[in-house]
Amino acid sequence: MRLHRCAEVGCRELIKVGYDYCDKHYSKRLADYHVKREQTQALASRTLRGQQHVLERNRDYDSSKRQELGHEFYHSKQWTKISQYIKQRDMYVDAINGRAYDTGDLIVDHIVPRRLLKTKAEQYNMDNLWLLTKSHHNHKTAIENKLSDNKLSHLSREWWLKVLKD
């Protein structure tokens, strides 16, 4: 078997032909590569082109991988009918600021998050559904991620109104 020295300066490790670095230096160089790649992506995300790239990557993820992670609920026929009903019931008005919006600007949201509801009937309960704009929905989701499940299951519509109006 033919061997040669690792390409790292000062390393005298013998490795197989076809490889440039020994395991130790290969791992170190790979870790350095990942750190520099993350730094480059963070720096690029500050530019308009970088932000556009992040949006495209997220859009691709949402359309391909995210559906496999259990979001078929939102594509079901029953949910489509209920969400359309909620939009008509609330007359396309955002629950937080009381302004009317177009169909695509509003999201039918669960006041108590769907993951905390045990039965299908609870998930489709219209008393637990309301309309939010995308920005209010994102704000509510960010707050939900910071709270415990126990606290989330007891929060009321009035509490959310007070918090999201501020």
Side-chain angles (χ1 to χ4, degrees):
M1 175 189 294
R2 294 183 55 195
L3 301 173
H4 70 96
R5 294 199 191 280
C6 174
E8 185 73 24
V9 176
C11 182
R12 303 185 61 77
E13 180 89 23
L14 291 175
I15 55 173
K16 291 182 190 177
V17 172
Y19 295 96
D20 293 330
Y21 298 97
C22 64
D23 290 340
K24 173 183 163 189
H25 290 112
Y26 177 78
S27 299
K28 182 180 179 290
R29 293 177 73 85
L30 189 61
D32 290 345
Y33 165 77
H34 286 299
V35 167
K36 288 193 192 268
R37 183 173 169 213
E38 287 177 15
Q39 290 172 345
T40 303
Q41 286 176 346
L43 186 62
S45 68
R46 294 183 194 164
T47 65
L48 289 176
R49 180 172 285 172
Q51 291 172 356
Q52 183 65 29
H53 181 69
V54 168
L55 286 173
E56 289 172 6
R57 204 169 54 225
N58 289 343
R59 194 174 299 128
D60 290 342
Y61 174 80
D62 287 346
S63 65
S64 60
K65 300 256 192 280
R66 192 170 211 171
Q67 290 178 1
E68 298 168 7
L69 299 176
H71 291 285
E72 65 274 353
F73 172 84
Y74 295 108
H75 297 294
S76 69
K77 195 173 194 177
Q78 187 175 5
W79 174 255
T80 305
K81 287 181 179 180
I82 287 176
S83 66
Q84 191 63 24
Y85 172 79
I86 296 296
K87 288 177 182 179
Q88 290 173 354
R89 177 193 76 182
D90 294 349
M91 296 182 294
Y92 298 93
V93 172
D94 178 51
I96 305 302
N97 61 20
R99 293 189 197 138
Y101 289 90
D102 290 334
T103 306
D105 297 332
L106 293 169
I107 296 173
V108 177
D109 180 62
H110 289 85
I111 298 169
V112 175
R114 189 173 70 90
R115 72 176 188 279
L116 301 177
L117 304 173
K118 299 197 179 0
T119 65
K120 283 255 189 204
E122 289 177 333
Q123 293 178 6
Y124 292 118
N125 180 2
M126 293 186 205
D127 295 332
N128 188 38
L129 299 173
W130 62 346
L131 285 180
L132 297 177
T133 60
K134 291 178 182 178
S135 63
H136 284 134
H137 181 265
N138 291 340
H139 187 188
K140 180 179 179 277
T141 302
I143 293 170
E144 285 176 348
N145 291 335
K146 295 176 183 176
L147 298 174
S148 69
D149 288 350
N150 186 34
K151 180 156 176 103
L152 278 174
S153 62
H154 294 94
L155 295 179
S156 67
R157 179 185 302 251
E158 290 74 25
W159 187 89
W160 281 112
L161 284 170
K162 186 173 74 172
V163 169
L164 293 174
K165 277 186 180 180
D166 296 337

